Amino acid sequence: MYISPDTQEKYQKLVQEEVPSATVIALKHLRSKYKPSSVKKKLCNEFDCFLAPSSMLANLAPFLGKPFFDRRKQPAAIELQKGSIRESVERAVESTRVMIGTGPSLSVHIASVDQSPEEIEDNIIRGMNKIAATLQGWGNIRTVHVKTDFSKSLQLYSSEEFSDSDSDSEF
């Protein structure tokens, strides 16, 4: 589902030219029709992925509410440009988003079993370097583990000394 900043019809036509299965909702409809928490929860369960322009992401949290954050279905940023909408949607759907909370642990879905071992390795390396940059260096990461749904956690990285200093190490 794409959350549009303006009129729904304008974006519905633009999006459905390249992605016929996509649904578009205008922000004003989201504000008015989806106020109760039960309706927000139903909307959240109805779609697998939510997309919105990057300029709107910061302002969407109050309108989406707790159900979206509990299920980690915050909208992904996407810019609509005629001719590249399908690629932008596919990239957003296939990517992962990281929610950094206040606790000491962070869990990120980085690969799937459908991928080749080389793709999984590449995703882990890229993902960890991106996360390290987001956390302001490897000095802020104590350990890294990899785990599948049915495996034990395997340690990939462990720092000898956990510190707040910035480090330029790479994974």
Side-chain angles (χ1 to χ4, degrees), residues 22-34:
T23 304
V24 176
I25 185 170
L27 181 59
K28 67 180 182 180
H29 288 111
L30 186 65
R31 285 182 191 162
S32 61
K33 293 182 181 178
Y34 295 93

Side-chain angles (χ1 to χ4, degrees), residues 2 11 13-19 22 51 78-92:
Y2 180 77
Y11 288 94
K13 190 175 184 179
L14 182 66
V15 170
Q16 287 197 333
E17 283 179 15
E18 292 189 50
V19 188
L51 309 169
I78 183 174
E79 301 306 325
L80 297 182
Q81 295 177 359
K82 194 170 181 133
S84 66
I85 295 173
R86 175 175 289 288
E87 293 81 21
S88 298
V89 169
E90 287 173 356
R91 194 174 327 111

Side-chain angles (χ1 to χ4, degrees), residues 60-133:
L60 283 176
F63 304 115
L64 297 175
K66 193 173 182 218
F68 282 79
F69 291 90
D70 287 348
R71 289 170 183 77
R72 296 181 182 243
K73 285 193 176 181
Q74 303 83 349
I78 183 174
E79 301 306 325
L80 297 182
Q81 295 177 359
K82 194 170 181 133
S84 66
I85 295 173
R86 175 175 289 288
E87 293 81 21
S88 298
V89 169
E90 287 173 356
R91 194 174 327 111
V93 169
E94 291 172 357
S95 66
T96 188
R97 289 167 290 288
V98 177
M99 288 285 298
I100 299 175
T102 57
S105 297
L106 179 66
S107 176
V108 181
H109 296 270
I110 268 186
S112 74
V113 293
D114 299 337
Q115 294 175 303
S116 71
E118 293 79 21
E119 290 174 320
I120 293 171
E121 179 184 7
D122 186 50
N123 278 4
I124 290 171
I125 292 169
R126 285 179 181 213
M128 286 310 308
N129 285 326
K130 182 76 173 172
I131 291 167

Side-chain angles (χ1 to χ4, degrees), residues 138-139 141-144 155 157-163 167 169:
W138 281 93
I141 298 175
R142 189 173 292 172
T143 59
V144 174
Q155 187 171 333
Y157 169 85
S158 178
S159 69
E160 292 181 18
E161 184 178 323
F162 182 74
S163 68
S167 174
S169 301

